[in-house]
Amino acid sequence: MSETVKLGVEQARELALAAMRGRGFGEAEAADTVEALLAAERDGLPSHGLSRLPFYLDQAASGKVAAEAVPSVETDGAVVRVDARYGLAFPAMARGLEAGIECASRLGMAAVSIARSHHFGVAGAPVEAAARRGYLALAFSNAPSAMAPWGGNRPLFGTNPIAFACPRRHADPLLLDLSLSKVARGKVMLAKKQGQPIPEGWALDAEGRPTTDADAALAGSMIPAGDAKGAALALMVELLTAGLAGSHFGFQASSFFEAEGEPPGIGQLILLFDPRRFSPGFVEHAETLFAVMQDQPGVRLPGDRRYQLRREGDDQLTLPAALVADLMAHVTAS
């Protein structure tokens, strides 16, 4: 088992911010990024937490990520266009969400399109934030290719997450957060690292055949959730994100994990709806559905497990010692 260390949240925050400053990120951009990564840690999602930061820092050092980038925001009616300028996605998402909520408060709805972007972390984070302010929200992102079109064997689509949040009365928002592959590609990467086979049904090899070999799976294609239906949804997300933003489709995007190469340059889309403009009693009406669902033993509303982990957490994070050492090295290297 790999060695771990405990850090207080404030210690982890200061270490991460120092590492980002050392690589040339601005204060606001670093703060947006670090808060998003810490939130993932507290929600029990370490794969999208601080473990991502060394990849971002290495890419900033190589120039694949533009550390100095400050996102631009332009509003045109109900459309908010954000250009991440090949920087990290978190500052672009934060600025776009604020502009989108202001727009939706005036018009009843808004669409926030983010161009030339990067990995946007936990897909549920921006929609949860919007729902806590009273808005129904959907978020989509494309990603570097990992899934073939149904019937094909060459990956063209990313695993392309979808998230949705709905405000509730006196409760945490309903929260859906999922990717369109049958399982996360990170599980295959972990199996490769551990030298373990993967279950059949997760992936195909480069010839389009089912495989239990992790190396063959990574050289091939993830199987979409829902088979042909999931592949069709992945195509839809490519068009809603990279298509509308004029950004890279999955097959054109470089890896989120490699330091060298061109920027991924992917796209995101956030849709916001003010339910009060549709039906003044929406929240109360929705609660009747949730109550009937929860009347059935064993039913848990989407998002409840994440909120439970958050409530049970403390101000201590358990992190891999190698990760902490890596971040410290970035601080001293600066």
Side-chain angles (χ1 to χ4, degrees), residues 75-320:
T75 300
D76 179 9
V79 175
V80 177
R81 290 188 292 272
V82 182
D83 187 351
R85 296 180 171 176
Y86 297 126
L88 294 177
F90 303 105
M93 294 289 290
R95 287 155 181 73
L97 186 61
E98 284 304 312
I101 287 176
E102 192 281 328
C103 185
S105 72
R106 290 186 291 106
L107 302 176
M109 62 179 67
V112 182
S113 178
I114 301 174
R116 300 198 296 178
S117 193
H118 202 281
H119 178 250
F120 82 149
V122 177
V127 294
E128 179 192 342
R132 290 190 182 280
R133 293 168 68 173
Y135 295 87
L136 283 164
L138 295 98
F140 310 88
S141 181
N142 76 321
S145 59
M147 294 196 305
W150 192 249
N153 62 5
R154 182 165 67 91
L156 296 181
F157 310 144
T159 53
N160 292 4
I162 296 175
F164 169 76
C166 174
R168 294 194 60 199
R169 183 184 59 198
H170 312 309
D172 292 312
L174 180 84
L175 178 61
L176 287 71
D177 186 344
L178 55 96
S179 68
L180 292 176
S181 55
K182 194 161 286 187
V183 297
R185 197 163 188 259
K187 290 187 176 182
V188 180
M189 296 171 71
L190 181 61
K192 171 185 166 81
K193 185 176 181 180
Q194 296 175 340
Q196 299 292 324
I198 61 172
E200 189 166 328
W202 281 16
L204 307 174
D205 67 15
E207 303 302 318
R209 298 170 301 203
T211 183
T212 59
D213 181 87
D215 286 301
L218 291 171
S221 172
M222 299 299 295
I223 294 177
D227 299 328
K229 294 177 182 179
L233 287 173
L235 170 60
M236 177 192 77
V237 173
E238 292 283 347
L239 294 170
L240 286 173
T241 56
L244 286 177
S247 295
H248 288 156
F249 291 120
F251 75 93
Q252 298 170 319
S254 62
S255 171
F256 289 151
F257 297 101
E258 294 172 4
E260 304 305 322
E262 295 297 315
I266 60 163
Q268 281 105 24
L269 180 71
I270 307 174
L271 300 178
L272 300 164
F273 302 90
D274 183 349
R276 293 157 292 199
R277 303 286 284 271
F278 292 80
S279 170
F282 169 81
V283 172
E284 289 73 19
H285 189 45
E287 288 296 331
T288 63
L289 172 60
F290 303 150
V292 172
M293 291 172 64
Q294 292 177 300
D295 277 345
Q296 298 187 33
V299 172
R300 182 178 62 196
L301 294 181
D304 281 357
R305 180 178 179 275
R306 185 175 300 186
Y307 299 135
Q308 184 65 30
L309 288 171
R310 193 181 298 174
R311 287 190 291 269
E312 292 172 352
D314 54 28
D315 64 351
Q316 295 287 309
L317 301 178
T318 301
L319 302 172

